[in-house]
Amino acid sequence: MVGPAHPNSDPFHAGAEPPWAPGPAPWGAPPPPRAGAEPTSRLLPSRRADAEMADSELQLVARRIRSFPDFPVPGVLFRYGQPGHVGRAGGGTEGRTGPRGPGCRGAVGSAWARESAGLSLRARDISPVLKDPDSFRASISLLANHLKKAHGGRIDYIAGLDSRGFLFGPSLAQELGLGCILIRKRGKLPGPTVCASYTLEYGKAELEIQRDALEPGQKVVVVDDLLATGGTMRAACELLGQLQAQVLECVSLVELTSLKGREKLGAVPFFSLLQYE
């Protein structure tokens, strides 16, 4: 279910829309929910079966998101949370930084955040999702089904973000019959590239894409494993804008809603499978 994007107060988005904004809602996007919509129990049998299957797949994925206390350093809270509904409109991901960043990620397969500005942030370990083939398959299926309903055949490429976006990007692209392009940290790609920077708590980081990765006007969906503060995903959208590509949507497996990362993307829709405070 796609809901309205959150309000955006970022002056970057004031006035004219950025070049990578999608403009009007794409053809085939599901309509917004209306008051008095029928509950699942009153849907037509085929629609009810589809909804029940999606819920079953979502629960399969949610059961594989685990948490640990005091990792990677004391004071970091890894804790189970209740998943939200399938898919919401909005946001972005965080900078991949060391232990000093507010939206930090630690070891491979985990995502973490420290208490910041009086807000206790919870992070999630996706390793069990990757370990369990049924859970991983369900996560790809749910993301692919959302994109099919939202955009039909309009997507040209899936863009995976360095580094755990690479775990989901190629599988999602293959499920949709598309190619996958890579957005990497600076210095990791050969040949001519274009670069975009984003701000961390203690400095800046940069992303790159190969200059010939896309043609002007091609339509892209950006994927990562987790959305937190939104800096990385926004930088990826700006990077794709330099190539005159159109970002139809950004998607992730997990979203940390307390960090309001979705607001960083302005008019670009965002979809996450699981939402946690």
Side-chain angles (χ1 to χ4, degrees):
M1 178 173 64
V2 177
H6 287 213
N8 178 36
S9 59
D10 190 339
F12 177 86
H13 298 289
E17 291 290 349
W20 35 265
W27 177 87
R34 67 182 192 279
E38 289 187 298
T40 302
S41 60
R42 296 176 57 190
L43 295 175
L44 294 174
S46 61
R47 294 175 60 192
R48 184 166 64 247
D50 289 344
E52 290 173 352
M53 180 178 296
D55 184 67
S56 175
E57 289 182 317
L58 185 63
Q59 294 304 319
L60 179 61
V61 177
R63 286 196 296 269
R64 296 294 183 266
I65 304 294
R66 64 182 181 177
S67 56
F68 297 95
D70 297 323
F71 177 84
V73 293
V76 174
L77 181 61
F78 273 70
R79 201 162 58 188
Y80 283 106
Q82 294 301 317
H85 56 272
V86 180
R88 304 195 313 189
T93 63
E94 85 291 356
R96 278 67 167 232
T97 69
R100 297 170 57 188
C104 305
R105 304 195 203 184
V108 171
S110 65
W112 65 278
R114 299 194 67 177
E115 188 168 341
S116 177
L119 180 65
S120 180
L121 306 177
R122 307 172 187 179
R124 311 292 159 172
D125 177 20
I126 67 164
S127 301
V129 176
L130 303 173
K131 183 178 179 180
D132 177 18
D134 291 334
S135 179
F136 181 73
R137 188 180 302 112
S139 69
I140 296 300
S141 175
L142 288 165
L143 290 172
N145 287 339
H146 163 73
L147 292 175
K148 289 174 184 176
K149 292 176 182 178
H151 306 293
R154 298 176 68 240
I155 307 170
D156 293 310
Y157 291 99
I158 300 296
L161 281 184
D162 195 343
S163 62
R164 285 187 296 278
F166 298 167
L167 301 174
F168 294 91
S171 295
L172 180 58
Q174 186 166 13
E175 181 74 12
L176 295 169
L178 303 172
C180 183
I181 59 175
L182 305 181
I183 296 177
R184 301 217 59 184
K185 296 181 178 70
R186 187 172 185 180
K188 301 294 186 179
L189 290 171
T193 61
V194 295
C195 180
S197 64
Y198 56 102
T199 302
L200 305 173
E201 182 182 13
Y202 57 90
K204 290 186 177 182
E206 294 178 301
L207 295 176
E208 283 186 327
I209 189 172
Q210 290 173 319
R211 190 177 295 275
D212 60 356
L214 294 165
E215 298 293 333
Q218 288 187 316
K219 298 175 177 62
V220 182
V221 169
V222 181
V223 62
D224 205 358
D225 68 320
L226 180 134
L227 167 108
T229 64
T232 309
M233 194 74 84
R234 171 169 159 172
C237 290
E238 294 173 353
L239 192 60
L240 292 167
Q242 292 186 45
L243 297 182
Q244 301 179 51
Q246 181 180 347
V247 181
L248 293 179
E249 190 167 8
C250 298
V251 300
S252 71
L253 182 71
V254 173
E255 176 185 5
L256 303 181
T257 59
S258 299
L259 295 177
K260 301 180 180 180
R262 59 176 55 230
E263 297 180 9
K264 291 283 185 70
L265 294 187
V268 176
F270 175 78
F271 177 92
S272 60
L273 292 182
L274 299 170
Q275 300 86 37
Y276 301 91
E277 292 298 324

